[in-house]
């Protein structure tokens, strides 16, 4: 594949004159295979040291925006000129409807305004005890199993699902949590195919591997949430869980998409499923990579355990600043959501370049976090990069995105990660089973290929 060999935006502009070195590339024969196997492999090497890179893929001009100032200009200053990519909406909307993650414009804005207060720091603090309880259940399960290899990704999926279940819908007698988790995984497993089919402009009815199973899973999940919402409405019961807060929330500015009386039942189902889908696997991945990195870096692990020990039983997330640094550094190397994709709905100006309407704009978070111009020794795991007082461009570190559509669950996710570390690290030792880390593969999220096998041993009695 030929890629622009520009070093900067001004060079890029100059080099687009006829006969210059700049050449937009067309898709090479292996590109589709790479997109399905691991999208990150299909990115040109230039995304790791250039500011803006253009390629042509599947007939569309695609721009990788890798420079913090350009990212800010795109996501903040020109947020009105971009929209979510159609292929992402097509892949996710059969499950998530038109909720916060799958809508744009007025519909998105009203839902975002309605949901934002649910994720305020005081609301998150109220969920922390339920998070500690869920982590305790994981610890009990692990203690009864004893020493041996485990797939820590699998385990973290269970734990984060337990946490999201315990905070969104606790004590819902009608909900079969295990079945819900299985259906969700079935649907999410098909998303890569759905993205590809949509990029290829295949009509929705064209089947792909797993399409029938995915459709059935989406129907089951939406049906079970709709039933719960209807049941609570009929009983006039809301509760203090996330669903209850959402049922009582209203858009402070009113509006046709949420209404001053709150979200419609359909919007509630869309957003509840969105929170579960967007919040459970991402956090599990952050933790799986964190445990692997800790197993490789005993000094970091010891310092972290000392901090946890000093904080006492069931600490508040804010009492563990080094734990926060560790999680942030793990998400720098392995951002669970490794790319943001948008389309230009009108011309976008990035420095000296005009990106024409209709182009695809990618912010390759994984590459920006390893960008050679932005990070010293980018491949090295060093939580002290995030020590207090160290200056960094806000737009060089984007695990939760940026701009108006920044992750609404960011505070919830960070609290969850820190509670998981605080609950498990003092009680269990994690050791690597092989010297090399699993390959990081793009499957919408950044998954370790083959899971995250680690040897787990209980450390012996720890007084909590
Ligand atoms: C470590 C865990 C998490 C990571 C790395 C993460 C990452 C992200 C990123 C990168 C975006 C922006 C996507 C884009 O602009 O294209 C996003 C959006 C979003 N996330 Fe998260 N997320 C995490 C956890 C959560 C949790 C726990 C929830 C909810 C409980 C959640 C709910 C959402 C929602 C609703 C959006 C859409 C926001 C909007 O468009 O206004 N996320 N997340």
């Amino acid at each position: 594949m030929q890629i622009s060999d520009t070093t900067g935006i001004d060079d890029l502009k100059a080099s687009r004159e006829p006969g210059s070195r700049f050449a937009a590339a067309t898709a090479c024969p292996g590109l589709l295979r790479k997109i399905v196997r691991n999208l990150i492999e299909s990115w040109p090497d230039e995304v790791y040291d250039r500011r803006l890179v253009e390629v042509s893929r599947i007939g569309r001009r695609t721009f990788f925006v890798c420079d913090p100032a350009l990212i800010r200009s795109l996501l903040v200053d020109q947020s009105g000129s971009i929209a979510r990519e159609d292929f992402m909406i097509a892949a996710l909307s059969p499950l998530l409807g038109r909720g916060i993650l799958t809508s744009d414009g007025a519909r998105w804005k009203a839902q975002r305004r309605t949901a934002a207060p649910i994720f305020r720091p005081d609301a998150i603090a109220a969920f922390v005890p339920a998070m500690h309880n869920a982590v305790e259940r994981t610890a009990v399960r692990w203690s009864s199993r004893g020493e041996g290899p485990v797939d820590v990704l699998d385990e973290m999926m269970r734990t984060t699902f337990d946490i999201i279940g315990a905070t969104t819908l606790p004590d819902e007698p009608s909900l079969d949590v295990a079945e819900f988790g299985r259906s969700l995984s079935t649907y999410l497993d098909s998303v890569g195919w759905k993205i590809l089919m949509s990029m290829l402009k295949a009509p929705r009815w064209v089947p792909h591997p797993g399409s029938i199973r995915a459709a059935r899973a989406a129907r089951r999940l939406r049906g079970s949430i709709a039933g719960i919402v209807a049941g609570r409405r009929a009983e006039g019961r809301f509760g203090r869980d996330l669903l209850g807060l959402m049922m009582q929330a209203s858009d402070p500015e009113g509006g046709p998409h949420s209404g001053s009386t709150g979200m419609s039942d359909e919007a509630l189902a869309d957003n509840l499923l969105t929170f579960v889908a967007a919040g459970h696997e991402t956090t599990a991945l952050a933790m799986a990579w964190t445990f692997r990195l800790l197993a490789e870096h005993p000094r970091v692990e010891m310092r972290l355990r000392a901090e946890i020990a000093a904080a006492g039983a069931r600490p508040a997330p804010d009492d563990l600043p080094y734990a926060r640094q560790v999680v942030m550094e793990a998400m720098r190397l392995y951002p669970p959501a490794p790319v943001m994709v948008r389309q230009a709905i009108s011309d976008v100006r990035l420095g000296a370049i005009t990106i024409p309407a209709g182009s695809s704009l990618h912010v390759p978070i994984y590459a920006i976090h390893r960008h050679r111009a932005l990070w010293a020794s980018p491949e090295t795991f060093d939580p002290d990069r995030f020590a207090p007082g160290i200056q960094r461009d806000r737009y060089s570190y984007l695990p939760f995105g940026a701009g108006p559509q920044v992750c609404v669950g960011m505070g919830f996710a960070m609290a969850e990660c820190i509670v998981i570390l605080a609950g498990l690290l003092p009680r269990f030792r994690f050791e690597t089973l092989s010297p090399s880390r699993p390959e990081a593969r793009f499957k919408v999220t950044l998954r370790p290929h083959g899971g995250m096998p680690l040897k787990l041993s209980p450390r012996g009695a720890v007084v909590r």
Side-chain angles (χ1 to χ4, degrees), residues 152-163 185 188 280-282 284-285 447:
V152 172
L153 176 58
D154 231 36
E155 288 293 324
M156 287 298 104
M157 294 283 252
R158 283 181 74 172
T159 305
T160 58
F161 191 71
D162 192 4
I163 290 177
S185 299
L188 294 178
H280 127 84
E281 185 182 339
T282 43
L285 285 164
R447 282 174 161 259

Side-chain angles (χ1 to χ4, degrees), residues 228-243:
I228 290 169
V229 171
R232 286 200 189 186
R233 279 230 195 275
E235 293 168 26
R237 168 174 69 91
F238 298 121
R240 296 297 306 157
D241 55 22
L242 237 154
L243 174 59

Side-chain angles (χ1 to χ4, degrees), residues 84 100-101 108 112 279 282-283 340 342 399-401 405 407-408:
R84 298 184 203 276
I100 300 182
L101 193 63
W108 163 78
R112 173 88 194 198
T282 43
T283 316
M340 279 185 280
R342 299 287 188 272
F400 295 107
Q405 291 173 331
C407 177
V408 76

